[in-house]
Amino acid sequence: MKSNLLSRSNYYQVGSFVVSLLFIAIVIALSGVSPFQVVASLWDGAFGTADQFARVLSTLAPLLLCASGLVFTFTAGLYNLGIEGQIAVGAIATTALLRLLEGAIPAPLVIALALVAGTIGGAIWGLFAGVLNVYGKVNEIFAGLGLNFVAQGLTLYLIFGPWKRPGVASMSGTELLNESLWLSTFGNTEASPISLILAALAVVVTVVVIRGTHFGLKLRAVGQNLRASYVLGIPAVRQLLSSFAICGAFAGIAGALQVVGVFHRLIPNISSNLGFLALLVVMLVGFNALFIVPVAFFFSALNIGSLQLPLALQLESSLAGVIQGTLVLFAVLGRGFSERKNGLKNS
Amino acid sequence: MDSAQLIGILATAIATATPLVFACIGETITERAGVINLSAEGTILLSAMVGFAVAKTTNSLLLGFASAAVVGALIALVVAYAAISLQQSQIAIGFVLALLCGDLSSFLGNPVVRIPGPTVPSFKIPVLQDIPIVGPLLFQSDWLVYISYALIIATWVYFYRTRSGLLLRAIGEQPAAAFARGTNVVLMRYLYTLVGGALMGIAGAAFSLDFKAGWSHRHTAGYGWIALAIVIFGGWNPIRVALGAYLFGILQSFASVAQSTIQAVPTQVFTVAPFVLMILVLVLTSSDWLDRLLSPLPASLRRTALQTIRVTPPAALGRTFEQD
């Protein structure tokens, strides 16, 4: 019976994947270009040169960090839409520390401390959403969305106010960091070994903590039934707040890496929507932490590959988002179908 | 600041708020029926693009608005099907659609970026427009603005003065009780989600054919997320929700004036303000802090104050309901 159920749900997964591909092909055809041309162009854009592949890796790192963090909040039964703001506040904290300590102590130490500051900044912003949720009884979705806009306002205020470039304040962001404060990279590319190591660590820690520790077990209990776990004496409040703080901390590191590793300054769209993309990644893998790696890699490759589209085929690069969204949409619908069919059969 | 300047700010505020009024009323209707349509941002973007493209090719404003409403209703249909029939998370499906439809609007809308198209003509109401202050403020706009006023009032009347409005509120509060009394909860939830989605679609067209006429990528500046916030701020009451939309409009239009006059206050304060206000209102109205805050007041006064300030979401909001 069990294997039967399994194959049935696999059947729906494959089915929803095929429908996604059809939908994507139709959308591409509507723009008047052959889907095969688009696939070739995407592949070329992501893997054509070493530089482009390095860019895929440098997008992968923050995506893995955010997705790992989201596994914690999802396990606790929360939709942390505030992750974008948590990335931004991590980036702000990092920039603040870099400005404060630049030149005062050796550069590698400044970078290390800046990463710590980013982690703490993100954790505080995550905890803020958690406090609003737990003590203020504000739905986490609206607390998160609201705090995203507050973080966005803070970023803009700093870029146009206290941290503006001498003479010109503009949307291009704060002044470029001194090159000694840039994260080291593979050769002249954008990929940094430190980013990738941190991201890999985040995934490993997440898998181990969620699957193999008492904390993970309690978190699952809280996520599955908040009231029951409260009655059973599991400190639900502490579990919820910790999951917000952990997710915020991981997002904060991602924000810090965006500053020291990718943009080398604070820019208005510092999160580059990677937090929202990470939400899609986690929804697609059904909260199974291990599958995050291949899916995040695929999504990063799409994001970078799509930058080629305007040049090669005069198409909008937002096709990457269309593909990602379609895959997740039909996966959710497919899951719903398989649950409904199974439910009918059981009853 | 002189009175002419103030009227200018307020007139801009009404224009800014008009698309938002359609979106907020649409979401209010949906949420009152117990469904959260989190796709607002994507719905508004995609319907703005389609509405503009259709109006441009057919040269008919009416067809533009109609197609935008259809797009909004179709997206709402996906939300309703996934949430009500498949019993999946409304948040998950809405969020995915918010991103997907936003990107679709950019991808498919590329050919119509920054080209001129038809716009809703202005219409000054005779006699009324000559009333000092009120005239220039309320009666020198265009058709869409007048329709938005009517929509606010009609929705309020429907909610609180009709039998079907009572049923609508019932399926969001006590679906089991409404079902026991013979209401087809599932059908009604589908219906109201579709109506709400169609209004959000009209909000999109209100952008591309009126307020910020034309189409460009990410044309609507996050209004979908803002609409979701304002519905809570307004406590799911059409009049309060509309006031929330106008407050947002005032803050926005004040911000653009303040940029040149008051340099001490950064304009970001005004753009962020609605969200800070929303969070404060939510904290004040949904936690126990309000009770503690009001506890020094005499009992009868406290009860009245609680009733006016406290907003509670529809009790079954976001929950699935099994009819059979």
Side-chain angles (χ1 to χ4, degrees):
Chain A
M1 184 66 199
K2 189 155 190 214
S3 67
N4 198 3
L5 275 183
L6 207 67
S7 66
R8 190 181 292 275
S9 85
N10 280 344
Y11 168 74
Y12 279 104
Q13 267 170 15
V14 173
S16 66
F17 183 65
V18 172
V19 178
S20 318
L21 292 185
L22 275 176
F23 182 87
I24 294 162
I26 291 169
V27 169
I28 294 172
L30 277 177
S31 69
V33 180
S34 137
F36 298 104
Q37 261 180 303
V38 169
V39 172
S41 172
L42 283 172
W43 181 271
D44 194 40
F47 307 114
T49 68
D51 262 358
Q52 284 162 328
F53 182 61
R55 229 171 272 162
V56 173
L57 294 180
S58 77
T59 310
L60 177 65
L63 195 56
L64 282 177
L65 278 160
C66 292
S68 300
L70 286 167
V71 169
F72 284 88
T73 42
F74 267 116
T75 306
L78 300 160
Y79 278 89
N80 181 14
L81 298 197
I83 187 156
E84 285 280 322
Q86 289 148 22
I87 299 174
V89 172
I92 289 172
T94 299
T95 314
L97 199 112
L98 289 172
R99 296 177 67 95
L100 195 71
L101 294 183
E102 185 184 351
I105 52 172
L109 196 61
V110 180
I111 295 178
L113 285 175
L115 287 175
V116 174
T119 316
I120 297 171
I124 289 175
W125 209 245
L127 207 54
F128 202 9
V131 167
L132 284 172
N133 182 240
V134 173
Y135 296 107
K137 305 228 174 83
V138 179
N139 182 309
E140 84 271 9
I141 292 154
F142 298 108
L145 282 177
L147 289 177
N148 282 351
F149 278 91
V150 176
Q152 175 72 20
L154 194 63
T155 312
L156 286 173
Y157 167 67
L158 288 169
I159 289 173
F160 285 90
W163 294 353
K164 70 167 175 252
R165 279 187 290 163
V168 277
S170 80
M171 286 303 272
S172 60
T174 57
E175 206 170 359
L176 216 55
L177 292 173
N178 187 303
E179 221 163 307
S180 65
L181 295 177
W182 295 14
L183 216 53
S184 59
T185 54
F186 293 112
N188 260 337
T189 66
E190 278 186 15
S192 151
I194 297 168
S195 299
L196 287 169
I197 290 169
L198 285 173
L201 268 176
V203 175
V204 172
V205 166
T206 304
V207 172
V208 170
V209 169
I210 296 286
R211 291 195 173 173
T213 66
H214 200 55
F215 176 83
L217 186 71
K218 284 192 283 190
L219 207 57
R220 279 210 296 272
V222 169
Q224 261 150 30
N225 196 329
L226 189 58
R227 193 172 297 269
S229 47
Y230 180 74
V231 174
L232 288 172
I234 296 171
V237 165
R238 207 190 305 158
Q239 298 294 316
L240 290 177
L241 289 180
S242 329
S243 71
F244 271 116
I246 294 169
C247 185
F250 282 176
I253 301 175
L257 291 175
Q258 293 287 88
V259 173
V260 291
V262 180
F263 296 109
H264 309 298
R265 59 176 180 239
L266 185 67
I267 60 164
N269 187 18
I270 191 75
S271 76
S272 311
N273 290 331
L274 287 174
F276 279 167
L277 191 61
L279 272 157
L280 289 188
V281 170
V282 181
M283 279 183 204
L284 190 59
V285 300
F287 323 142
N288 185 334
L290 269 181
F291 289 131
I292 284 177
V293 178
V295 173
F297 181 78
F298 175 54
F299 277 21
S300 307
L302 272 176
N303 261 21
I304 301 304
S306 70
L307 299 176
Q308 183 94 338
L309 292 176
L311 307 169
L313 303 168
Q314 279 80 50
L315 291 178
E316 251 292 297
S317 60
S318 53
L319 179 65
V322 175
I323 296 174
Q324 290 150 352
T326 306
L327 287 171
V328 181
L329 174 71
F330 285 105
V332 173
L333 290 174
R335 215 170 288 157
F337 261 118
S338 102
E339 281 170 20
R340 188 168 77 156
K341 287 290 173 335
N342 288 333
L344 282 179
K345 208 176 162 97
N346 290 345
S347 61
Chain B
M1 194 182 299
D2 56 27
S3 65
Q5 212 178 353
L6 193 66
I7 289 176
I9 291 178
L10 292 178
T12 314
I14 290 174
T16 311
T18 299
L20 209 49
V21 166
F22 284 98
C24 290
I25 296 282
E27 185 70 27
T28 303
I29 294 171
T30 308
E31 292 194 12
R32 273 287 184 176
V35 179
I36 302 175
N37 187 348
L38 204 71
S39 78
E41 178 69 11
T43 299
I44 295 174
L45 277 168
L46 191 59
S47 54
M49 189 278 287
V50 172
F52 178 77
V54 169
K56 172 81 189 167
T57 28
T58 61
N59 212 14
S60 155
L61 276 172
L62 210 58
L63 276 178
F65 274 97
S67 58
V70 169
V71 168
L74 281 177
I75 297 168
L77 183 65
V78 179
V79 174
Y81 182 69
I84 301 169
S85 297
L86 296 182
Q87 307 206 337
Q88 292 298 295
S89 158
Q90 300 178 2
I91 303 305
I93 203 79
F95 178 73
V96 174
L97 283 168
L99 299 192
L100 173 59
C101 295
D103 283 322
L104 263 181
S105 77
S106 276
F107 183 70
L108 295 176
N110 208 20
V112 289
V113 168
R114 286 195 197 90
I115 52 173
T119 51
V120 177
S122 72
F123 175 75
K124 294 179 179 170
I125 297 179
V127 186
L128 287 179
Q129 67 146 318
D130 298 325
I131 306 173
I133 301 171
V134 182
L137 208 53
L138 296 182
F139 303 115
Q140 295 186 5
S141 324
D142 57 55
W143 286 104
L144 208 60
V145 177
Y146 304 130
I147 294 171
S148 73
Y149 298 151
L151 179 70
I152 298 165
I153 297 161
T155 313
W156 186 87
V157 171
Y158 185 77
F159 274 16
Y160 301 107
R161 291 289 180 272
T162 69
R163 209 186 129 64
S164 33
L166 185 69
L167 277 178
L168 160 62
R169 287 185 289 140
I171 60 172
E173 296 286 347
Q174 300 272 349
F179 180 61
R181 285 174 156 253
T183 312
N184 189 339
V185 174
V186 165
L187 185 71
M188 286 293 126
R189 281 193 169 173
Y190 261 96
L191 184 71
Y192 287 121
T193 307
L194 257 60
V195 169
L199 283 172
M200 273 190 252
I202 292 172
F207 259 105
S208 57
L209 297 174
D210 191 23
F211 173 52
K212 278 203 255 168
W215 169 256
S216 62
H217 301 299
R218 303 282 146 191
H219 191 66
T220 61
Y223 265 45
W225 301 119
I226 292 162
L228 288 166
I230 288 174
V231 171
I232 303 173
F233 180 81
W236 295 270
N237 174 320
I239 306 266
R240 271 166 85 154
V241 166
L243 288 178
Y246 290 120
L247 177 66
F248 175 83
I250 289 171
L251 286 168
Q252 289 287 304
S253 101
F254 195 72
S256 57
V257 178
Q259 210 149 23
S260 51
T261 52
I262 323 165
Q263 253 127 28
V265 185
T267 54
Q268 288 80 24
V269 171
F270 295 101
T271 35
V272 171
F275 296 95
V276 180
L277 281 176
M278 174 201 74
I279 292 173
L280 282 178
V281 167
L282 279 175
V283 169
L284 263 180
T285 54
S286 45
S287 71
D288 311 325
W289 297 343
L290 183 64
D291 295 289
R292 252 175 271 164
L293 202 71
L294 294 176
S295 60
L297 294 176
S300 61
L301 197 62
R302 191 171 64 214
R303 206 172 315 127
T304 330
L306 267 180
Q307 269 167 6
T308 35
I309 301 173
R310 170 153 285 175
V311 291
T312 41
L317 184 60
R319 306 242 176 91
T320 50
F321 173 70
E322 288 192 53
Q323 192 150 289
D324 26 46

